[in-house]
DNA sequence: CCGCGCATCGGCCGAAAGGACGAGTCCGGC
DNA sequence: GCCGGACTCGTCCTTTCGGCCGATGCGCGG
C-alpha cells in the first residue's frame, strides 16, 4: 500500500488528485495540505511514501521547490512535483532540490498513477511534456547567465533605466551597460525590450 | 436534480470537479470534455443545466470565452467559468460573452457548489476574488487603450523597435511615436520597457 | 604561475527613443 | 453642422541607449 500526502493550494485539484489516486487499490491518500508549510509540519509528525507537491502556493508562501529541499535534507518521503507550468527554470530548480518526479497538471490520470508508483519505488519519473522540454533545452545549448546579469535583466524587465539600475545595484552606469552588452550577446538581441521578450520566451524570467 | 457538464483540459481538475460536485445529492455530472469544441458538440445533442467551462484550452484550441458566446447565442445552458487566472480582460470577456458566473480554481469547494446551484437557478455568481478584482478595476478608473495603441503595445512587448513597428503596421515612425506617447501618458510612464512592465502588471498584456 | 571568466569602471560616437510642438483626415454623436 | 476623439504624419531638440574601444582587480583551475 502506498501512502500519499497531497499539497496544493487549489481545493479542486486536491479533490481531483485524491479521486484519481484512491480509485486504485494500492494507493491511499493519508493527508491533504493547502500550503507547503502545512505539509512540512505534517510530514514531521507522520509518515508517507510519496508527497505530491505543487510548486507555487499563494504569494508570500513557501515555494514547492523550497519545501522539496527541506524534505530531502531531512531524508523525508519521495517528492513528486505536480504543477501547472513547467518552465525550464522551475523544473531544474525542483529536480535540483531533490524532487523524485515532475509532472504537469494536464497529464492524463494513468500517467499520474504510474508516476506515484514509480516515486514510491524510488524511481525518477519525468512526464513526457517535461522530458520534451528538457530535451529542447539540451538542443538549445543554453544560455548561462551570471547572477549579476540576471540582476540586471530582472530590473530591465521591471522597466528600470540603466541609471536606475546602476543606483539600485550600487554600481556605475558603465557596469550596467557592460552586463547588458553581455546579455545582448547571449540572448542574440540588440535592445532591452527584445532582451526581455526573448528571456521570457526562454523561461529565463518568471512569467 | 442539477445536470452539470464539465469542460477542462486537465484530467485531474475534471476529476476534482466531479468529485466535489457529486458528493452533493442534488448535483449530477452528466458529461466531461477536454476541449471547448467537444463541449459544444455534446451540448448540441444533449442537455445540461450548467456547463462548467475553463477559459484556456490548449494552444490552437477554441477559448472558453468563444465557446460561451456560441452557447449563449444558441440559448444553451448556463455557463459557469472556472479558470485559474482571472485577469481583468479575461473576466470581462467571459461576462460579456454571456457567462452566468466566474470562479477561480482556487475557490473553496463550498463556493463552487453554491455557484453551480446559483447558475442552475439562473443567478449570476462571481467569486469573491473576482468581485474584488472588479472592484479594484472600478477604483483604478481603468485605462481605455485604443485598438491601435494595443497593437503598438503588443509589438513593443515583443521587443520590436519603433521602426519595425511602423513597418509591421504600415504606418510611419511618427505615428508609432504618437501612439507611444499616448500610451506613456495613459500608463504613467516614460519608457517603453516600463510601459510593458506596467501593462503586464495591470493585466493589459497577456502574461 | 598564468590564464580566463566575472565584475567593475571610463570615454567616445552614432543611433534610437522620448518630448514638444503643429496639423490634416475621418467618423460618430449631440 | 459642429465637436471631439482616433489615427495619421511631420519637424526640432534632448536624453538615453547600444557599440566599441580600453582598463583594473579578483578568484579559480590547469
Amino acid at each position: 500500500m502506498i501512502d500519499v500526502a497531497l499539497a496544493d493550494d487549489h481545493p479542486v485539484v486536491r479533490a481531483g488528485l485524491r479521486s484519481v489516486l484512491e480509485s486504485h487499490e494500492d494507493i491511499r491518500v493519508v493527508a491533504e495540505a493547502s500550503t507547503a508549510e502545512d505539509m512540512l509540519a505534517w510530514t514531521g509528525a507522520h509518515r508517507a511514501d510519496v508527497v505530491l507537491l505543487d510548486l507555487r502556493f499563494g504569494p508570500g508562501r513557501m515555494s514547492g521547490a523550497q519545501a522539496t529541499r527541506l524534505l530531502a535534507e531531512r531524508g523525508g518521503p519521495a517528492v513528486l512535483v505536480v504543477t501547472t507550468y513547467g518552465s525550464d527554470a522551475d523544473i531544474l530548480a525542483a529536480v535540483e532540490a531533490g524532487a523524485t518526479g515532475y509532472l504537469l497538471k494536464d497529464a492524463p490520470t494513468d500517467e499520474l498513477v504510474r508516476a506515484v508508483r514509480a516515486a514510491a519505488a524510488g524511481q525518477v519519473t519525468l512526464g513526457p511534456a517535461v522530458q520534451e522540454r528538457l530535451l529542447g533545452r539540451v538542443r538549445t545549448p543554453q544560455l548561462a547567465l551570471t547572477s549579476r546579469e540576471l540582476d540586471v535583466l530582472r530590473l530591465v524587465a521591471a522597466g528600470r533605466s540603466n541609471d536606475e539600475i546602476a543606483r539600485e545595484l550600487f554600481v556605475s552606469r558603465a557596469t550596467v551597460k557592460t552586463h547588458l552588452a553581455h546579455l545582448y550577446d547571449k540572448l542574440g538581441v540588440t535592445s532591452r525590450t527584445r532582451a526581455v521578450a526573448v528571456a521570457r520566451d526562454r523561461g529565463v524570467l518568471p512569467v
Side-chain angles (χ1 to χ4, degrees), chain A:
Chain A
M1 180 64 84
I2 304 173
D3 286 341
V4 177
L6 308 178
D8 195 299
D9 55 343
H10 293 16
V12 171
V13 173
R14 285 203 305 274
L17 292 172
R18 175 184 283 273
S19 165
V20 167
L21 296 177
E22 295 208 322
S23 69
H24 293 78
E25 306 279 333
D26 57 336
I27 302 178
R28 184 169 50 186
V29 175
V30 293
E32 282 188 20
S34 61
T35 67
E37 288 91 336
D38 287 351
M39 174 54 66
L40 282 174
W42 187 88
T43 51
H46 307 75
R47 67 162 288 285
D49 297 306
V50 180
V51 172
L52 257 63
L53 200 58
D54 192 5
L55 272 193
R56 309 188 193 188
F57 293 86
R61 310 240 63 122
M62 182 188 298
S63 77
Q66 175 66 6
T68 301
R69 190 180 308 281
L70 294 175
L71 276 174
E73 276 174 7
R74 71 159 83 138
V79 174
L80 185 58
V81 172
V82 181
T83 191
T84 308
Y85 283 115
S87 81
D88 293 5
D90 286 341
I91 299 174
L92 285 193
V95 172
E96 190 192 40
T100 311
Y102 199 111
L103 279 183
L104 296 185
K105 273 182 189 167
D106 56 4
T109 58
D110 60 341
E111 198 176 293
L112 173 66
V113 173
R114 243 182 298 131
V116 168
R117 292 195 179 119
Q123 296 166 11
V124 172
T125 315
L126 298 182
V130 175
Q131 292 180 28
E132 191 175 346
R133 211 168 257 271
L134 286 185
L135 273 189
R137 161 175 282 254
V138 176
R139 278 196 291 270
T140 316
Q142 218 40 26
L143 56 168
L145 301 187
T146 71
S147 71
R148 213 48 169 166
E149 285 163 358
L150 261 180
D151 291 341
V152 172
L153 179 58
R154 272 190 277 263
L155 288 171
V156 168
R160 308 286 206 286
S161 72
N162 290 352
D163 224 1
E164 292 171 326
I165 296 173
R167 280 197 297 275
E168 295 192 38
L169 295 182
F170 302 106
V171 296
S172 82
R173 223 162 314 180
T175 303
V176 174
K177 288 185 65 175
T178 303
H179 290 314
L180 268 180
H182 292 159
L183 276 170
Y184 294 157
D185 192 39
K186 291 179 180 178
L187 293 170
V189 300
T190 54
S191 82
R192 56 209 294 108
T193 43
R194 199 90 244 266
V196 172
V198 170
R200 280 226 157 76
D201 204 47
R202 295 237 224 156
V204 180
L205 283 176
V207 187

